[in-house]
Amino acid sequence: MWWMMNEGGGHYCSKKSDDICGDVCGQESSRLSMSRIRCILRGIDFKTYIFVFVMIPTCIFGIYLHGQKISYFLRPLWESPPKPFHDIPHYYHENVSMETLCKLHGWGIREFPRRVYDAVLFSNEVDILTLRWQELYPYITQFVLLESNSTFTGIPKPMVFASNRDQFKFVEPRLTYGTIGGRFKKGENPFVEEALQRVALDQLLKIAGITDDDLLIMSDVDEIPSRHTINLLRWCDDIPQVLHLRLKNYLYSFEFLVDNNSWRASVHRYQTGKTRYAHYRQSDEILADAGWHCSFCFRHISEFIFKMKAYSHNDRVRFSHYLNPKRIQRVICKGADLFDMLPEEYTFKEIIGKMGPIPHSYSAVHLPSFLLENADKYKFLLPGNCMRESG
């Protein structure tokens, strides 16, 4: 046909061609695809080569390294902030009577104080547990502690409290201590093991003798209610059935104040069959300035490493060098994040405002009295003492 033949009798290419790709037309089909690829590559300039073979792999590697940061930074786009708490103003002065303090909060005064139970799951926080129990000792009816031979992540652990029980003789007459065997299911969601241990703690509380309208403190070991807060709640009538405690949020020691927004600690007026030990939001009511949360406040570097591998968020250890002792020490003194993460906030303003190391604080005012009375022993928790012991 005339549209298939040129004047010389050869094939006719109906597509326009240039000098680079002119030889593609007329080739056999088996060679056509490779010719087109060569044609395309010959048409790509040097800048495009750089983009394809350098920039794209670099971007992929950057996402691999910092994908978690990107996700946290974009959190305001995919997660809304939780419902705000109803903050209850907290009134206290040592020279003001309890009747007046209860009245200032809108509560009545009782004829006698409620009994108070302090219940915790224990891992390895010997120093912070000592600080907690010394702070709360005057007002606690029964200290309840549950210990497991397994971490939440299924790693075998020694019975640290049992080994150090002699340090806690001051609470022995009021101590209910229980143990629970681990299931050692590696790869399972750590929050499953944590939830099972909290259920076991419910049973231990019953053994300890808790009854209706007793106060129950639900918080991690490092979430420490202040002494006067607990005394207020045991003496005042008509307090909320469940009351969260807003704690000052510290990291590594009382030198690094993150914010005043730790809220998971709570106090419950116990109800048989209804009250369950938990560590999530259970009420909209929260009492302001009610204590301290000192997270990762350890004496030894080895304790930091243990917790990083053992606690429920161990997935944050994305690279093995995060566990390097020298790196951990540098991070502590700098006030940076052990997991190289961005702040867990819900607005870009809050995320940007908290980016970078935590500013150093040089105030040791309104801290637990036992800490200041034993400053030499616990100086690692005080401002200006960021160096940790290597053991």
Side-chain angles (χ1 to χ4, degrees):
M1 303 292 290
W2 65 269
W3 59 85
M4 297 293 293
M5 304 289 292
N6 62 14
E7 293 180 356
H11 290 284
Y12 172 74
C13 182
S14 62
K15 297 182 180 180
K16 292 183 179 180
S17 62
D18 53 26
D19 292 337
I20 296 176
C21 300
D23 62 335
V24 172
C25 296
Q27 298 183 35
E28 296 179 3
S29 59
S30 61
R31 298 174 56 194
L32 188 58
S33 59
M34 287 302 299
S35 298
R36 285 179 175 170
I37 292 173
R38 287 197 299 269
C39 171
I40 292 171
L41 292 176
R42 287 169 61 188
I44 296 176
D45 60 21
F46 183 69
K47 292 181 179 179
T48 306
Y49 275 112
I50 292 177
F51 179 78
V52 172
F53 294 106
V54 177
M55 295 303 295
I56 291 179
T58 300
C59 290
I60 294 173
F61 183 67
I63 292 172
Y64 170 71
L65 287 179
H66 303 292
Q68 192 176 59
K69 284 186 177 181
I70 295 171
S71 175
Y72 272 72
F73 185 78
L74 297 178
R75 186 179 189 178
L77 299 180
W78 51 265
E79 186 171 356
S80 300
K83 177 183 177 182
F85 280 100
H86 171 239
D87 282 86
I88 298 175
H90 190 171
Y91 302 93
Y92 172 74
H93 192 279
E94 58 187 7
N95 294 329
V96 177
S97 70
M98 186 57 68
E99 182 176 3
T100 300
L101 291 174
C102 290
K103 183 178 179 180
L104 285 169
H105 290 84
W107 302 325
I109 183 78
R110 294 169 56 88
E111 293 183 7
F112 54 89
R114 294 182 180 86
R115 301 194 308 168
V116 184
Y117 286 71
D118 181 40
V120 294
L121 295 176
F122 182 79
S123 178
N124 67 327
E125 312 97 328
V126 173
D127 289 310
I128 289 296
L129 182 66
T130 303
L131 194 65
R132 177 194 183 94
W133 281 0
Q134 289 285 357
E135 173 70 14
L136 297 176
Y137 180 80
Y139 306 127
I140 300 300
T141 305
Q142 196 73 200
F143 294 94
V144 182
L145 184 144
L146 180 68
E147 182 173 28
S148 174
N149 62 346
S150 167
T151 68
F152 294 154
T153 53
I155 300 173
K157 63 173 282 292
M159 305 298 275
V160 179
F161 181 83
S163 300
N164 292 274
R165 191 162 178 169
D166 286 346
Q167 297 184 33
F168 299 97
K169 288 182 177 180
F170 67 98
V171 302
E172 195 68 41
R174 294 189 244 162
L175 175 62
T176 300
Y177 171 59
T179 61
I180 180 173
R183 299 177 305 133
F184 305 106
K185 292 189 175 182
K186 292 186 178 181
E188 183 181 62
N189 188 325
F191 290 100
V192 174
E193 180 66 29
E194 181 177 348
L196 290 172
Q197 292 190 25
R198 294 189 189 279
V199 171
L201 191 51
D202 278 327
Q203 301 305 313
L204 192 60
L205 279 163
K206 294 176 182 178
I207 295 173
I210 195 168
T211 57
D212 286 351
D213 207 42
D214 289 341
L215 290 186
L216 170 59
I217 303 172
M218 294 187 190
S219 70
D220 286 349
V221 172
D222 58 7
E223 297 167 338
I224 308 174
S226 63
R227 180 182 298 178
H228 65 79
T229 295
I230 298 305
N231 194 33
L232 175 77
L233 296 177
R234 76 189 191 115
W235 271 107
C236 295
D237 216 355
D238 305 318
I239 65 172
Q241 194 71 41
V242 178
L243 181 63
H244 281 275
L245 305 178
R246 192 177 294 283
L247 310 179
K248 291 182 178 179
N249 201 14
Y250 293 90
L251 187 63
Y252 311 139
S253 72
F254 292 103
E255 179 173 350
F256 297 104
L257 176 61
V258 180
D259 55 35
N260 296 295
N261 296 326
S262 179
W263 57 266
R264 290 184 179 273
S266 58
V267 175
H268 299 241
R269 289 166 56 191
Y270 189 82
Q271 292 179 286
T272 303
K274 291 185 178 181
T275 303
R276 294 288 183 270
Y277 196 96
H279 197 236
Y280 49 76
R281 182 165 175 170
Q282 302 175 72
S283 169
D284 292 334
E285 306 287 327
I286 190 166
L287 183 64
D289 198 7
W292 314 269
H293 180 193
C294 199
S295 184
F296 280 89
C297 291
F298 296 116
R299 182 188 299 271
H300 302 102
I301 293 293
S302 59
E303 294 174 288
F304 285 86
I305 295 173
F306 176 82
K307 181 168 182 177
M308 291 172 73
K309 295 190 295 184
Y311 86 139
S312 298
H313 296 287
N314 73 316
D315 58 311
R316 295 176 178 177
V317 184
R318 294 176 294 130
F319 307 104
S320 59
H321 75 270
Y322 282 8
L323 302 175
N324 182 281
K326 291 182 179 179
R327 175 191 176 271
I328 292 173
Q329 181 61 79
R330 288 196 305 270
V331 168
I332 294 169
C333 287
K334 189 177 179 181
D337 190 272
L338 281 171
F339 306 99
D340 195 26
M341 292 174 56
L342 290 181
E344 298 182 73
E345 300 294 346
Y346 296 92
T347 68
F348 290 116
K349 180 180 179 180
E350 291 174 325
I351 292 173
I352 294 171
K354 289 186 177 180
M355 287 175 66
I358 305 165
H360 294 255
S361 169
Y362 299 98
S363 172
V365 179
H366 302 304
L367 296 181
S369 58
F370 180 79
L371 172 60
L372 299 182
E373 291 166 353
N374 297 270
D376 288 342
K377 183 176 181 180
Y378 297 99
K379 64 180 181 179
F380 70 95
L381 292 174
L382 294 171
N385 297 278
C386 70
M387 297 303 296
R388 294 298 191 267
E389 298 176 23
S390 59

